[in-house]
Amino acid sequence: AQALQLEEAELLLSQAGQRLAFADDVDGARRLYALAAAALEELPGGEYLNLRQALMQERNAVDALGPGPRAETQQRLARFAGALGALPEQIVPAAGSAAPPWWQQLLAPFVTITPTAAQGPLTAAERSAAWDALQLELTLARAAVERGNQSEFEQSLDRVALWMPRLWPDSPGLRERRAELQQLRARVLRPPLPELGSTLQQLRAMRDGS
């Protein structure tokens, strides 16, 4: 009976590690850890005390992950994408704002001054194409998060950053979204978890007598 309980605990711990490593299924891993803890609690004798303590530390580390790094990143990415639609396409000068410099007024009949060529006005067709391209990059970023692919996630967000100043003029809202985008890019999809697998390793070492 004791051997069967140890095998059950080993299987549960192995499945919990796989849920975390490959599926970012933190809730599923927590349930498996709880079942493994119940199996170990039923073992008589004090020689399994260290094993129970190791499992407690591992479970605490998993609990600290919250909903999971990838699930949380998906939520933040969705909020970011939704906030982009509220950005103004044009900046309307406030009443009583300062007049443009004299040289700009003098040249205004002859040229249109824009900050850079890349930030010039877009036609309706160009804006639609740019919006579709930005949405595609957001979709690719979501897919990269789902797979836990850090490099593809960062590359997609870098391309989103390039499209944003083309679609919207500079504004406090745009600067806020760009800062939020940089925070998203810095997120680690597979954070290191030193405690992960430590209980399973200790259990196998005890079973093998090493």
Side-chain angles (χ1 to χ4, degrees):
Q2 182 171 322
L4 289 175
Q5 286 176 316
L6 287 173
E7 289 181 1
E8 179 186 2
E10 181 178 353
L11 177 61
L12 291 167
L13 291 171
S14 177
Q15 291 178 342
Q18 291 175 3
R19 289 286 185 93
L20 284 174
F22 301 109
D24 195 40
D25 184 4
V26 179
D27 288 338
R30 289 192 183 105
R31 290 191 292 270
L32 291 167
Y33 277 123
L35 292 173
L40 292 179
E41 283 294 334
E42 296 177 1
L43 294 174
E47 63 268 26
Y48 299 105
L49 178 61
N50 291 337
L51 195 62
R52 297 189 187 100
Q53 291 177 342
L55 179 55
M56 182 183 300
Q57 293 175 357
E58 190 168 348
R59 293 180 69 185
N60 289 338
V62 173
D63 287 340
L65 291 175
R70 281 181 268 174
E72 187 175 349
T73 301
Q74 291 283 29
Q75 294 172 2
R76 293 184 58 176
L77 193 57
R79 291 195 297 268
F80 169 79
L84 290 178
L87 290 174
E89 297 182 4
Q90 295 181 348
I91 301 298
V92 179
S97 57
W102 65 268
W103 55 268
Q104 187 171 339
Q105 298 181 49
L106 181 64
L107 295 175
F110 308 101
V111 298
T112 300
I113 300 175
T114 57
T116 65
Q119 292 178 327
L122 297 177
T123 66
E126 290 172 336
R127 173 167 289 279
S128 177
W131 176 257
D132 289 344
L134 183 141
Q135 293 300 316
L136 174 61
E137 296 302 338
L138 288 173
T139 300
L140 293 175
R142 295 187 189 98
V145 173
E146 188 71 24
R147 298 191 304 271
N149 191 316
Q150 188 76 36
S151 61
E152 290 186 7
F153 172 67
E154 294 173 356
Q155 292 168 10
S156 295
L157 293 190
D158 287 343
R159 291 190 290 268
V160 169
L162 293 177
W163 282 113
M164 289 175 65
R166 284 287 283 152
L167 282 162
W168 297 284
D170 184 41
S171 68
L174 179 64
R175 291 192 290 270
E176 186 177 344
R177 297 286 81 76
R178 295 178 78 173
E180 185 179 352
L181 182 65
Q182 289 303 310
Q183 293 175 359
L184 268 171
R185 190 188 184 281
R187 291 188 60 83
V188 179
L189 302 180
R190 295 178 182 270
L193 193 65
E195 296 86 356
L196 183 61
S198 59
T199 310
L200 179 60
Q201 183 179 3
Q202 185 172 336
L203 174 58
R204 287 174 174 170
M206 292 177 62
R207 183 196 59 189
D208 298 337
S210 56

